[in-house]
Amino acid sequence: MNSKTRKQLLSFAAATGVLFQLGGTAHAVQVFDLGEFVVHAPARAAVEEVTATPSVEGAYAGGQVSQSSLMGVLGNQSFIDTPFNVTGYTNELMENKQASNVIDIVANDASVKDQSLSGASSAWSIRGFRTTQQDTQFNGLYNISPRFYTGTESIERVDVIKGPAALLGGMPPNGTIGGTINFVPKRATDKDITKVKLSYGNGSQFTQHVDVGHRFGDNNKYGVRVNVLNRNGETSNDNEKNNASTVAIGADMRGEKVRAAIDLGYVYNEIENPQYRITFGNKFLASTKQEVFTAKNADHHKKYGADGTYRRVTEKYGVISGEYDFNKNWTAYAGFGMRYTSMDYLYNEFQVNDINGKSNLRYRYNNQINKSTSVEVGVKGKITTGDVNHNIGVAFARSEYKRYMANRSLNNVAANFYVQTTNWGAPQGDLNWYTHLNDTSIQTGVSITDRITTKDESWQFIVGGRLQKIKTQNFPRLSKAFNGADTYASYDKTAFSPAVGIVHKFNDKTSVYANYMEGLQADTVTNASAVNFGEAVEPYKAKQYEVGTKFDFGKYTATVSAFNIKTPALSYVTVTPVNKLDRYYSLSTEIRNRGLEFNVFGEPTKGTRVLGGIMLLDSRYTKDNADSNAKGHRVEGTSKVNAVVGLEQDVKAVQGLTFTTRLNYTGPAFANQDNTIRVPGYFTWDLGARYTWNSGHVPMTVRADVYNVLNKDYWNALNGSVYQGNGRTAMVSVTAGF
């Protein structure tokens, strides 16, 4: 997208502030000249007193966490009434933390760990299980939110449900089992919204964001919310650039019996020269057999990637949803969405081959078109029998995607881990665009739930199950150069996932809960050296047992939970003993993640807010085979301790001034299944401040944050690889608007 188009999009968003007035009475117009564009905002007769912590509808004390979250087929549930560990992060938190993507938001949760491979590949783990943007939900629907872009400028709330949850929303497209992240889109509020935000930082990125919303009609029946964002500049990684242009429109109608909404979105995101992960070759792994190798000297000024690489993504998505009340007890609902994604991706893999740093850089090229649809219809209602209420829910869901992809290996270039260079030479190989069908996936599910409550709601029982059908087809690759199966591979299986939950409230402030939940996974062998490379693996289950307690002290809340999750896992079996690279991958191992979580959030005293927690995790292989010898080993990329604590303090002497700080700790972890490559643990420290005031009739907020204040160098561990953490970065922004 060129600069002219970006300016047109920003002008469109600015004009929307005037167009929205067609639904109401005429207003005087104020003009804010920002150089690149002009924003029109309705004038106000009076401006409310500015406070450092404006109230958020539906938010808990402090405004950072919501009172309720969307729990799939169970609907919106209060956090203290649910038999799960769930946190809903508000848009106020996103703004005050200057979060530009989902990673910045979930960084406030100790159970969620950043595992992004590069600036072009965002990922994270929940309770030790890795997931990506591709397994997020958009208002409860899978396969709709952008597949690769992780920006949150159009999101009102991010709900994080920890643990397997097949009952609530079905199986994610890529089989995530550690937890579910759901995006709740922004809606127009009864109070008009007109905001302009300019920010600079995280390297030298300049971002312009316009957010306008208006309701009109009788009783504010109709609403429209528009968000437009433009970002360009270099990131904190050397020579990496990230340019993005997005538009999101959310319109809704609120009637007495009918509620409906439509969401439309467009994304263009181009990343140049992305930083990438470091993998380890077989010779390097063999050299670590006798003693553990500890990765050191993580210099964030170094770059293990070639210039001239890029990822260009275009995403378009839309959702239509609605509800109809038959009467006060029964409601029908439905949602239908579509997404189209196009990706052009030239990247590299950096592999260290021996202890002296001898390495090679391999270019890869992946072009992809991804098309998906998702639909959910259901009915929910209440039946009273004797002294208990039955809250019944029946839902049908279907999600499908088709991936037209050609992912291929190009040339290798000699490299050295200890010697930096920018002269890698040009990629050589097939750089043509191919659109053959690579794989398809159709997931169909029917769920039935009964949430049984006593009349005083001191007891709550949830029983239910989901019958899930999974149909996957992998198609033959065009040639040996492509990543795809040599032979046709598919499966068409059905699985039933039961679930049970119980909550007992001693009073309005204290509850205990327990649950048994299952998650469904489907996988494909992605190791190119495997005999069965590209084959689909039949769906398999993860099983979770969890207990916990929640304390709501009115101003702040503390939760404690303990969980145990077991799941089969892919591992290799040597087909030809003489050749260790001749491997067949199957579900021959088992992973058990056992942990204890403590979370706290709220505003214990006026002007002091807290958000954070700690997770103690024991993630191990509990079964193995003769080749993997993994039993008892820690799972790659998992730390025994993860902790984060954030504090905000308003300055009483200066109205509108707030100071913030956040401490993050990640414990040591291993980067390979043999537990012979280790990365040390690390602390990072963030500091920030914001100041809110009225400039005439216009509320203004300036925010400034410094992340990793001490400029800590560190590695993060993944499955068979490591990647560098970010050094010290800063962000400053100014927001004007109502």
Side-chain angles (χ1 to χ4, degrees), residues 665-669 678-683 712 714:
Y665 174 72
T666 298
R678 178 183 180 273
V679 298
Y682 58 90
F683 278 101
K712 175 69 175 179
Y714 61 93

Side-chain angles (χ1 to χ4, degrees), residues 474-643:
N474 289 350
F475 296 97
R477 55 187 173 185
L478 296 181
S479 72
K480 294 291 184 181
F482 291 86
N483 272 8
D486 280 318
T487 58
Y488 177 90
S490 67
Y491 57 72
D492 187 347
K493 299 291 182 180
T494 301
F496 179 73
S497 299
V500 179
I502 183 172
V503 180
H504 176 52
K505 295 173 65 176
F506 296 101
N507 48 53
D508 292 339
K509 304 300 182 183
T510 307
S511 68
V512 294
Y513 73 89
N515 70 61
Y516 169 78
M517 296 288 288
E518 292 187 351
L520 285 173
Q521 296 174 276
D523 213 337
T524 300
V525 178
T526 58
N527 191 311
S529 65
V531 174
N532 57 334
F533 170 58
E535 285 189 5
V537 180
E538 291 189 5
Y540 49 99
K541 291 183 178 182
K543 299 179 180 180
Q544 171 184 272
Y545 297 89
E546 179 181 358
V547 295
T549 184
K550 303 177 183 181
F551 304 94
D552 183 355
F553 298 103
K555 295 294 185 179
Y556 67 99
T557 288
T559 66
V560 180
S561 57
F563 61 87
N564 188 84
I565 306 172
K566 285 187 177 182
T567 179
L570 278 175
S571 187
Y572 66 87
V573 178
T574 302
V575 178
T576 307
V578 176
N579 184 0
K580 288 293 184 181
L581 295 180
D582 199 4
R583 296 170 172 176
Y584 181 91
Y585 275 73
S586 64
L587 297 173
S588 55
T589 59
E590 181 184 71
I591 291 174
R592 185 223 60 208
N593 282 13
R594 178 182 296 164
L596 182 67
E597 297 163 320
F598 172 78
N599 299 97
V600 62
F601 57 85
E603 192 172 20
T605 61
K606 187 173 177 58
T608 302
R609 290 167 293 281
V610 60
L611 175 63
I614 184 171
M615 179 179 68
L616 307 177
L617 179 66
D618 182 21
S619 178
R620 296 187 181 276
Y621 291 96
T622 52
K623 291 183 181 179
D624 59 14
N625 56 58
D627 292 303
S628 66
N629 194 30
K631 187 175 181 179
H633 290 179
R634 292 249 305 277
V635 175
E636 309 92 300
T638 62
S639 302
K640 289 184 177 180
V641 180
N642 291 304

Side-chain angles (χ1 to χ4, degrees), residues 364-423:
R364 299 185 67 89
Y365 179 60
N366 181 3
N367 67 262
Q368 179 181 154
I369 292 176
N370 193 286
K371 302 177 182 179
S372 68
T373 60
S374 187
V375 62
E376 182 178 27
V377 295
V379 62
K380 54 187 177 182
K382 183 172 71 173
I383 300 174
T384 300
T385 59
D387 293 330
V388 299
N389 296 318
H390 295 266
N391 299 274
I392 308 295
V394 180
F396 167 83
R398 184 182 188 275
S399 180
E400 176 181 6
Y401 79 79
K402 295 181 178 180
R403 183 166 54 172
Y404 304 81
M405 183 177 72
N407 190 6
R408 72 218 74 161
S409 298
L410 304 179
N411 56 308
N412 285 330
V413 180
N416 191 291
F417 177 77
Y418 300 108
V419 179
Q420 286 289 290
T421 180
T422 58
N423 185 22

Side-chain angles (χ1 to χ4, degrees), residues 163-373:
L167 171 69
L168 302 181
M171 190 185 94
N174 292 296
T176 294
I177 62 170
T180 303
I181 290 182
N182 178 60
F183 298 139
V184 178
K186 288 180 177 178
R187 292 282 180 260
T189 62
D190 289 330
K191 181 180 178 181
D192 288 350
I193 297 170
T194 306
K195 290 183 179 180
V196 176
K197 180 179 180 180
L198 304 177
S199 60
Y200 181 83
N202 190 21
S204 58
Q205 295 184 86
F206 179 44
T207 303
Q208 312 96 49
H209 179 200
V210 178
D211 180 2
V212 289
H214 180 64
R215 300 205 73 86
F216 53 92
D218 294 339
N219 298 316
N220 282 337
K221 184 176 182 179
Y222 304 100
V224 180
R225 187 81 173 261
V226 178
N227 279 264
V228 178
L229 177 140
N230 181 68
R231 177 181 297 119
N232 55 73
E234 293 191 359
T235 73
S236 58
N237 293 321
D238 288 351
N239 207 28
E240 181 182 270
K241 297 180 180 179
N242 191 332
N243 302 322
S245 297
T246 73
V247 179
I249 302 173
D252 71 289
M253 182 270 288
R254 305 184 306 203
E256 290 186 7
K257 286 193 171 184
V258 179
R259 295 164 297 281
I262 181 170
D263 292 279
L264 302 172
Y266 171 84
V267 172
Y268 178 78
N269 184 211
E270 179 178 3
I271 301 177
E272 300 178 21
N273 309 319
Q275 176 72 283
Y276 210 65
R277 62 179 173 175
I278 297 171
T279 62
F280 301 96
N282 291 319
K283 290 184 178 180
F284 184 94
L285 294 174
S287 68
T288 66
K289 291 293 185 181
Q290 301 303 317
E291 61 179 306
V292 174
F293 172 82
T294 300
K296 298 179 181 179
N297 302 321
D299 185 352
H300 54 256
H301 293 294
K302 291 184 177 181
K303 183 170 183 179
Y304 302 96
D307 289 344
T309 56
Y310 56 83
R311 191 194 70 177
R312 302 173 184 133
V313 174
T314 300
E315 311 224 37
K316 306 170 187 177
Y317 61 94
V319 179
I320 299 175
S321 58
E323 293 182 335
Y324 175 75
D325 296 333
F326 296 109
N327 52 49
K328 66 178 182 179
N329 289 328
W330 288 90
T331 299
Y333 61 92
F336 173 75
M338 302 178 68
R339 175 183 50 77
Y340 173 91
T341 298
S342 174
M343 182 180 72
D344 188 18
Y345 193 13
L346 175 64
Y347 63 107
N348 66 260
E349 295 175 338
F350 192 98
Q351 180 173 282
V352 182
N353 294 319
D354 65 30
I355 202 74
N356 297 316
K358 184 179 180 181
S359 310
N360 68 275
L361 181 145
R362 171 176 289 180
Y363 284 103
R364 299 185 67 89
Y365 179 60
N366 181 3
N367 67 262
Q368 179 181 154
I369 292 176
N370 193 286
K371 302 177 182 179
S372 68
T373 60

